[in-house]
Amino acid sequence: MIKGALIFAQSGGPTAVINASACGVIQEALKQDCITDVFAARYGIDGVLNEDFIDMRKVPKKEIELLRITPASAFGSCRHKLPPLESNEYEYKRLLEIFKQYNVRYFIYNGGNDSMDTCNKIAKYMLSNNYECYVVGVPKTIDNDLMCTDHCPGFPSAAKYVATSCHEIALDTAVYRNGRVTIVEIMGRDAGWLTAAASLATAHGQGPDLIYLPEHPFNIDKFAKESKYILESKGHCLVALSEGIKNSDGLYISSLSLNNSVDSFHHLQLGGVANFLAIRLTNAYGIKTRAVELSLSQRCAGHLTSKTDTDEAYLAGVKAVQCAVTGLTNRMVIFNRVSNNPYEIEITTADLDGIANAVKELPEHFINSEGNFVTQAYLDYVTPLIQGENTIPYENGMPRYSKLNPKYKTK
Amino acid sequence: MIKGALIFAQSGGPTAVINASACGVIQEALKQDCITDVFAARYGIDGVLNEDFIDMRKVPKKEIELLRITPASAFGSCRHKLPPLESNEYEYKRLLEIFKQYNVRYFIYNGGNDSMDTCNKIAKYMLSNNYECYVVGVPKTIDNDLMCTDHCPGFPSAAKYVATSCHEIALDTAVYRNGRVTIVEIMGRDAGWLTAAASLATAHGQGPDLIYLPEHPFNIDKFAKESKYILESKGHCLVALSEGIKNSDGLYISSLSLNNSVDSFHHLQLGGVANFLAIRLTNAYGIKTRAVELSLSQRCAGHLTSKTDTDEAYLAGVKAVQCAVTGLTNRMVIFNRVSNNPYEIEITTADLDGIANAVKELPEHFINSEGNFVTQAYLDYVTPLIQGENTIPYENGMPRYSKLNPKYKTK
């Protein structure tokens, strides 16, 4: 294969295992004879455009190995999307210039939907300019909404965190004889994969009584009736719902909340959809409520991850490098599920053209007919993904994550 | 010692280790010859008044042992406070009746401030009625605000959770080159012990830049200035603050938020003080913000606890039984710190008269002069408490906590 440098970059929102993929990419790249330098760009594609690189040969092996269990994007991220080539070629030309300058022949981009779009555009641009460069994407998203793959690295660990936290919150909110309706808000604007994982707590013995997902129209009165019924019969009711639940007109419930508040307070925003619904239930139905937002921890809780996920994320990084050095380009690493019991996946790649900018929603048969819980089929899908725990090294009572010093920069 | 039954009950808000104390009480009580029966009341003192008991001799030993790592109050809790004896003797008489009926000679109550008040009242009532009964309190509170003890079981695990989560959130919120002011709201209405623990993340390498506590008057303009300065120099700013921060008039900042909203929306509540301040910073100063509430997980995250805390909570339960069977009453188990390095405590007891209804605030020398961070003295105090991790058994990818079946009830 052609000799040259490899650039790796991370993009989009962090996950608890995105650095496990980084670890796989870097360790594999350092082994490959055809790869002369291994650079990690800081802040995603922005770092490439700014020549802001960390020279991975300078980083101590221990810190690279610790990336395997370190949450959030260790090299920084960005939300920058390359413009359509037709409208603005400037950044593409700049990328090609930089790739030539550093003799970059391998480019690995780790991210979600938008990042795969960027990856796709770069691959095509290099091809059409006859610059030999192998471009492979590594998926990551806690939303699990990328096409063509059984699941995305990052989702299983977020699912394990959500399930465990919901189980613990279920124990916590059941302690009083006369409890409340507790509403837990979970990430996922357009797909309910992660919120659905709260059902694992229920299957485990104690968890949400009701689950509402963006894929099924949400009706506030129906919700009030369902939660009130459970509160009255059990003494407490736990609800898990996606930040992205929508009414039958397709409007986000959170935007109704926003409209309500903007009427009176310029710019004021309420806490979120769980808070909005908690207030609504109390005011309109006299129900005692509490809103809980799992917030950032669901995507960055490195202390509670799925070993299955960490291992797969690592192998996805390894696979990306292996594909690139065997001459594949414009591909994304994907997982095919070979069997469910015992759980087995095949790690392969798919054409980026069919992935970029599409969203994979939760299929209908994963949601019950009432639209207020998941089905056994979903549980069968998700259960293997949360198996296994990582051994996290602790130092002075805290997780010891990788530390990357700016002195490792190329310039 | 007099032969008789022991009743144990839990009260107040749950913690991650309250059941470790339960485990200590129950396992020690089952060993004592003078203790004929071991009953756990369901829903605190309410369960005693309702004769709602679990017979611990019927519970499988494995489930009792699992209590050691199970979060939240496994036997249920209550917020019921006994009325002053002078105003209403009914409940006291009823308790005495029930104690006589079951021949209860040992009563162990596990809770925070209000629960120690209840414990105190029961001990005195039994004494003044010449009914031989040994009453001992076991402290628990994530707020760490009980008098006479170096610290309270429950606080160290909450501190470890808060510190780890703030460290992870610090990693997560630093990934973009141009970030925001992220405001993390932590429990503690009257004392800042737990919020202060966020400083452990900073000491560990990455954590809050600013910490605001209820003990120091909070000024919104000063806060805006301080956070804006850090945002502009670092690119992102992480703030940890107590739900109970107050202005210089002693008014909760969260109540200002409430007043603001009640003006226009009857009954409407904003998400919390972090959300209120995030909105204020954006509207008044044009700063990009994000509010995060650690919410219930900080007190019930059994999957991330301090082994020091779990062990001490267990031993506090053991000690309570040992004191009761040696004839002590109207006492609470306390911890005296003998040495800091190596960390060593002495577990002993103190008179309940000096504990009930008082609040221990963070001392002045634990807060810096600017009132926006803690001092090294606080870090020296808290660091030993978060040491050590528990081995949590997992079943099918989820923590396997104790399961108490209603069939173990006495009737």
Side-chain angles (χ1 to χ4, degrees), chain A residues 186-202:
Chain A
I186 296 166
M187 285 179 171
R189 274 199 89 67
D190 299 311
W193 294 96
L194 186 55
T195 302
S199 62
L200 287 159
T202 315

Side-chain angles (χ1 to χ4, degrees), chain B residues 235-357:
Chain B
H236 44 85
C237 173
L238 186 61
V239 179
L241 46 79
S242 294
E243 56 177 344
I245 48 169
K246 302 178 194 83
N247 68 14
S248 54
D249 296 329
L251 291 172
Y252 288 117
I253 303 296
S254 59
S255 74
L256 305 178
S257 139
L258 196 65
N259 290 340
N260 269 345
S261 53
V262 164
D263 286 348
S264 302
F265 301 117
H266 198 51
H267 291 311
L268 176 64
Q269 290 172 28
L270 289 173
V273 65
N275 197 50
F276 168 67
L277 290 172
I279 292 166
R280 178 63 76 91
L281 242 58
T282 301
N283 290 357
Y285 301 86
I287 298 173
K288 267 168 70 185
T289 56
R290 175 162 212 155
V292 175
E293 223 184 302
L294 291 188
S295 196
L296 295 179
S297 293
Q298 66 198 291
R299 72 177 191 199
C300 67
H303 71 269
L304 178 64
T305 48
S306 153
K307 187 167 190 318
T308 299
D309 190 23
T310 308
D311 291 350
E312 289 177 353
Y314 179 84
L315 291 172
V318 170
K319 182 75 178 181
V321 175
Q322 290 174 345
C323 288
V325 300
T326 53
L328 287 176
T329 193
N330 197 29
R331 312 286 295 176
M332 183 183 86
V333 176
I334 60 162
F335 300 154
N336 289 329
R337 195 177 299 213
V338 177
S339 112
N340 217 21
N341 193 9
Y343 171 72
E344 192 192 335
I345 58 161
E346 172 199 39
I347 305 183
T348 176
T349 64
D351 196 315
L352 271 171
D353 290 348
I355 292 164
N357 299 314

